[in-house]
Structures are given as structure tokens and as C-alpha cells.
Amino acid sequence: MNALSPYVPVMAGQEVKILRWRCGTLMATHISLYHLIGLCIPERLSVHDMISPKDKNFVTILDVNSKQLFGPAYSGQLLGSLERTVQHMPSDQTLKLHLQTVAAGLNEKLFMYLTLIKMEQSPEKNKTSPGSEVLREIGLESCDAEIVRNLSKIGFVDWKLLH
């Protein structure tokens, strides 16, 4: 749990909330209260038996026994290359460079989104955009739009760059 906690996106000043050991079915209230949850899986059951199908769309599951990572379905462009190319990387260094390229593309879209939102909300405009209009303007939809919207909420970009 400690090794995973640095990878949990939280708002600035917020701590990662961890439920280290949960015996029994995972409930929606647990998902809303905690960022990381460790589940005790009884023998003859799988992690998928411990969470309702409707709640699976709100979580990412790391099954350490089977060494598999499960998450909500992704349909987008920004992270699409990860699925196709990661397994064909000749070295860890090549993988790191590829991940940096993906992160740079994501950061570029996030910066454009935040800049356009700020311009839309400027006093001269006299109107505020809901954000979805701006997302469409920069070519983001579905999962990619949701990723950028969530990253903007947690303060992923240095706001000083926008002033």
C-alpha cells in the first residue's frame, strides 16, 4: 500500500486515505471514502467476487496474486499507445522515454485546457464556459476529456505558468 500511495492523484495538501485491510465485500461507501483499499480475499474467491459489477467502473484493481491490473474501459487517444507498445519495449529506459512522451502530450492538452478556461472566465468575456465546450475545441472527448478535467481539479499543472 505504501509503494502505491505516491501514484494516487490527490489535491494539493490532501493526504492519501488508505484502508489497509478490508475483510468482506467492498461497498460503494468504502470507494468514496478511501483512495487505496487492501482486500482480504477468501480462498476459492477472486477479487471480482468482492466488488459489485456497478462499482467496478469506479476503481482500478491490482491483483497481486495473478499480477494483473484491471480498470474501467478506456476509449481515447492520449493513453492508447500505452496498451499497444509497452509490451514491445526493448528496455526499461525506452519504456521510461515513451512514458515521458505520453505524459508530455497529456500535459500539453491540460495546459491548453486550463489556459482556455482562464481566458473564457476573464472579466472581458462576461461569460463562463462550462469546460466541455473548451474540451471539444482542443479535440478531447470521452475518456480523454475526463482525464484532463480530473487532472485540472487536482492541481496537476503549476498555476503560476498561467499568470
Side-chain angles (χ1 to χ4, degrees):
M1 299 298 271
N2 290 337
L4 292 174
S5 64
Y7 300 103
V8 176
V10 293
M11 297 178 87
Q14 186 182 26
E15 288 186 31
V16 177
K17 295 177 187 168
I18 299 174
L19 176 59
R20 294 198 181 277
W21 199 249
R22 166 78 182 146
C23 293
T25 306
L26 189 64
M27 309 300 261
T29 54
H30 297 118
I31 295 169
S32 65
L33 292 174
Y34 296 98
H35 297 106
L36 281 173
I37 302 170
L39 281 178
C40 173
I41 311 298
E43 210 173 307
R44 295 188 185 102
L45 291 179
S46 79
V47 67
H48 302 288
D49 299 320
M50 306 300 291
I51 183 169
S52 77
K54 68 179 177 88
D55 290 334
K56 285 183 185 176
N57 286 329
F58 300 103
V59 299
T60 300
I61 299 169
L62 173 61
D63 186 339
V64 293
N65 294 328
S66 68
K67 297 181 182 174
Q68 291 183 315
L69 184 67
F70 303 94
Y74 172 73
S75 61
Q77 305 288 320
L78 291 173
L79 305 178
S81 67
L82 294 178
E83 182 182 21
R84 293 184 298 278
T85 59
V86 169
Q87 51 197 307
H88 303 293
M89 292 292 162
S91 69
D92 288 349
Q93 188 63 27
T94 308
L95 176 59
K96 286 179 188 176
L97 290 172
H98 180 70
L99 291 174
Q100 287 175 339
T101 303
V102 171
L106 184 56
N107 196 46
E108 176 188 4
K109 292 290 188 180
L110 180 59
F111 184 79
M112 287 182 353
Y113 172 72
L114 292 172
T115 302
L116 290 172
I117 287 289
K118 185 172 181 173
M119 287 172 51
E120 288 290 323
Q121 294 174 345
S122 68
E124 309 88 55
K125 287 279 189 173
N126 287 335
K127 73 168 196 159
T128 57
S129 173
S132 49
E133 210 177 286
V134 171
L135 288 165
R136 276 192 301 277
E137 286 175 20
I138 59 175
L140 293 176
E141 50 192 37
S142 66
C143 293
D144 291 337
E146 203 59 34
I147 289 169
V148 168
R149 187 179 288 121
N150 286 333
L151 289 175
S152 73
K153 289 178 186 174
I154 63 170
F156 192 71
V157 166
D158 187 358
W159 282 92
K160 289 179 240 164
L161 297 172
L162 298 176
H163 294 298

